[in-house]
Amino acid sequence: MPENPSRDEIVKARKEVYLGSVVAPRVESRKLFLFSLLCALALFPLLQVASGRFNYWLHMLLFTFLNVTMAASWNIIGGYAGYISLGHNVFSGIGGYVAGALLIFYGLSPFLTAPLAGVVACLFGLLFGLITLRTRGSAFIIATIALVLLTKLGLDNWELLGGTNGVSLPLLPLPARFVKLPFYYGMLLTAVGAVYLSYRIRHSKFGLGLRAIAQDETKAEVAGIPTSLYKILAFAISGFFPGMAGALWAYYLTYLRPTIYFAILGAAEIVLMVLLGGRGTVAGPVLGAVLLVAMNEFFVARFGSTELNIAGTGLLMLIILIFFPEGIVGTLRDRKKLPRLLDWG
Amino acid sequence: MLLEVENVTAGYGAGPNILDGVSLRIEQGKSYCIIGPNGAGKSTLLRTICGLLRPRSGRIIFKGEVLNNLRPDQILRKGICFVPQDRSLFPEMSVKENLLMAGYTLTNKQDLEQRIQTVFEIFPVLKERQSQLAQTLSGGEQQMLAMARALILKPDVIMLDEPSLGLAPLVAIQVFESIKKLKELGMTILLVEQNARKGLECADWGYVLDLGKNRFEGPAHSLLHDPQIEELYLGKRRGTRPQGKTRTLEQGVDGS
Amino acid sequence: MIQLVQVFLLGLTLGGVYALMASGLTLIFGVMRIVNIAHGAFILFAAYLAYWGFKLYQIDPMFSLLFTMPVMFLLGMGIYRLLFPRIAGSRRFTSMTVLLTFSLALIMEGVMGFLYSGIYRSANPPYTTRALLFGPFYLPLAQLYATLLSLVLLGLLFLFLRFTRTGRAIRATMQNRTAAQIVGVNVEQISTLAFGIGTALAGASGSMVSFLFTFFPAKHWQWIGTLLALIVLGGMGSLPGSVVGSFLLAVIAAYLGYFYGPTWSPITFYLALFLILLIRPEGLLGKKLEA
């Protein structure tokens, strides 16, 4: 009688077949890289404390963290589940307005209420998802565009919160040298949280379900995945960190105004970051956000024109869609040239 | 030789080969039936011949001309008509409009009108229903409309993909009757059929496809009576089954 | 009571223009499953063409469709050939088209903003300040002309689709792409043509819009929001549905504007969109949304 292979052997053989040529990444060096990156970012403000001449860099990093948060969160619904949201900045808008209103009317600091703002954004996502994600396909995308326009219209006309002109928020009572620091750390924490969440989801059963939906929704449903529930949950979850980031951002800017949050261009840039970096990957949105912020800064400094900036955003998006639909990380991975440091699973 | 398929491979998107080296030889005026289990690649073969799918390798030769890189509309103009499994009608058009669409490649209006009248003679029920929307027809009528649509062009070859699928047995018999009628009219027919026995009964020559490869071929009536084919692909015929076969052999067998 | 009828009439006379704006979008979605987010930008571009035609050469914007339509027809076909065959085989084709046309809209908005700046513009031929009076009611001539002209164009579109060979091929492709291929329609050619016709209709809409509304480069987002609501309401890809939807929403928007002030009237379209998705995702006269 032939000896049957043990279960572990079978599992190992299957993994070899299904995972193919994926070489086990050297976890150690990658962990070290990420850890030192975080340490560097955490220690960077010391330069400001010491010299006071790094406010511009603090601002740029903070802005990058905001975008990393947005992109990594968008990726949960747009990348994993394949349902493109063209209105994700609405979440940060809701967060911003919730925390802003609590500050104005009750004097509660957005640093305390940011998680609450995140939860409210989540609930809002749940509601919106319940309406739009029961159907499949393009209706959702259309609805997200309408969502941006609708919320902007609503807030433009809501005089209590300043309408179109917005309302200013009190300053954080700190000297100019230190005033950016709490925002810096708050936003860094949000960004790390968002990336970690997207990593955990990617490696969960839930994430597997979402990716199955992106591949073939009918088959996913036949395979027993509650597709509607998963999509709605994914959309709601993807609203949490943007809601938090929005709360901090409003306080940081010291005013609330519909145009900060509810601009189509803002929504487009979130999508562009993820497309640029690589949809459905963990590192892609981070990379895309960093690159796009750098590029925007360069072009605005160079040409100064916002009109051309809009056209440039569109053109870049078009080129990526046609020639590199998988984005940087995805394309490199397909060619098996992805550096280990960017292979975050 | 009217139509020749030489060692063709084909598949969808980046997926595996569904056809893995299939060959056919179709002669003028004869009818052929391709049988085989689910997933054998029968429908894929027809889709490849009519150009909805490009072959990855091999050649498809029609009247001495290679069809490999032509679009479906170009292949149609050469004289190959296809009636797909789902009938592919235009649901929100009337029967008449569906037939007008069938003559899309024809430019002479009077000629087209005449052809439609000829087709109405073969399928009188369609004449009665000509102003009805195609989506309101019964399954059998839809199949007839699909066949009628192919006949409008007086094609050299008509390919039918599972014409009896989803039809009630009595309606299916009607459909097979009309196929026989087409055969009597001298049409060259290439038929794919799950109902293998019925399909072979309509045909002169049979091909058996399995896992994307040719397995057997031969005159239809001899395939019908070949014990091996019968066992593997035809299933049990009531009362005539040879003694001594085990039931397990029936597993995975298609047919009536 | 008279006021209410008056509002109804005003809504109705805008409905035709909305229907014309939505028809091109519907045609493009119906034939190719492309959600053309750039449709508003196309309309806007044509509106600028009509506006400059009026300012520089005193061409009546109503007749400007004689050049906006051909220009947009060619532009549309060119854009289609340039962009869409490249993504033809991609998974989730419709989502892909949304992103692609979305970026196209951004490009067009940016270029128009660069060329024409953000100034609010509107062509003002003499009839924009006149109105037709009958009994206690009035109808602004501009709206009346625009809607009548739109209805004429929609009628021509209907006749073309219904009774010509090419029109029938377009409808066939809308109903069943594979079947159209089987009966010998060169669907790529038909798609290019349909895209061109869709953008030509955007061109005609632009001509109307140039003297009906004030516009600026970012205005197209508001239009596309409205139009998307209209085609979802009509049931994606159903032309009669989008026409009915246009008149319906135009009237409701007019009432909303009358009761709550004009800034609220666009909200009709967005709310209608969500309402439809909630109760009847297949639209008023449409089929299921799949893509």
Side-chain angles (χ1 to χ4, degrees), chain B residues 31 45 55 63 67 78 86 88 101 122 188 205 236:
Chain B
S31 61
L45 177 59
K63 295 181 186 167
L67 300 184
K78 304 275 179 211
D86 61 0
S88 278
M101 265 321 288
I122 306 177
T188 310
W205 193 267
K236 185 167 143 185

Side-chain angles (χ1 to χ4, degrees), chain B residues 47 52 71-73 76-77 82 84 88-93 97 100-107 149 153, chain C residues 162-163 165-166 168-169 171-173 175-190 287:
Chain B
R47 291 175 70 86
L52 289 170
R71 289 190 309 267
D73 55 294
L76 182 84
R77 279 168 212 261
F82 176 45
S88 278
L89 299 173
F90 302 110
E92 287 153 48
M93 286 189 185
E97 271 190 303
L100 284 172
M101 265 321 288
Y104 179 75
T105 50
L106 304 172
T107 40
R149 213 175 54 181
L153 292 178
Chain C
R162 182 89 201 153
F163 294 111
R165 180 168 169 269
T166 312
R168 204 180 289 125
R171 278 195 300 139
T173 312
Q175 291 179 21
N176 189 334
R177 202 179 171 86
T178 315
Q181 277 182 301
I182 286 168
V183 298
V185 176
N186 182 345
V187 290
E188 261 317 295
Q189 205 183 349
I190 286 294
K287 6 177 191 226

Side-chain angles (χ1 to χ4, degrees), chain C residues 26-40:
Chain C
T26 307
L27 190 69
I28 288 172
F29 181 79
V31 176
M32 288 150 284
R33 302 281 125 182
I34 291 173
V35 178
N36 183 20
I37 303 294
H39 205 73

Side-chain angles (χ1 to χ4, degrees), chain A residues 82 84 128 134-136 138-139 141-142 145-146 149-150 153 157 213-214 264 268 307 310 314-315 317 321-322, chain C residues 37 83 86 91-92 94 96 98-99 102-103 106-107 110 113-114 221 228 263-264 267 273-274 277-278 281 289:
Chain A
I84 290 155
F128 181 76
R134 292 176 310 148
T135 53
R136 284 186 197 172
S138 38
I141 316 181
I142 292 177
I145 299 178
L149 299 166
L150 178 70
L153 190 72
N157 287 295
I213 290 171
I264 296 266
E307 282 85 15
I310 295 174
L315 192 63
M317 199 154 148
L321 281 170
I322 290 180
Chain C
I37 303 294
L83 295 182
R86 296 173 195 271
R91 268 190 302 122
R92 296 188 159 264
T94 298
M96 211 39 196
V98 173
L99 288 174
F102 185 83
S103 28
L106 287 174
I107 296 174
F114 182 70
W221 292 118
L228 289 173
T263 45
W264 285 106
I267 218 169
L273 176 71
F274 291 120
L277 288 176
L278 194 62
L289 295 165

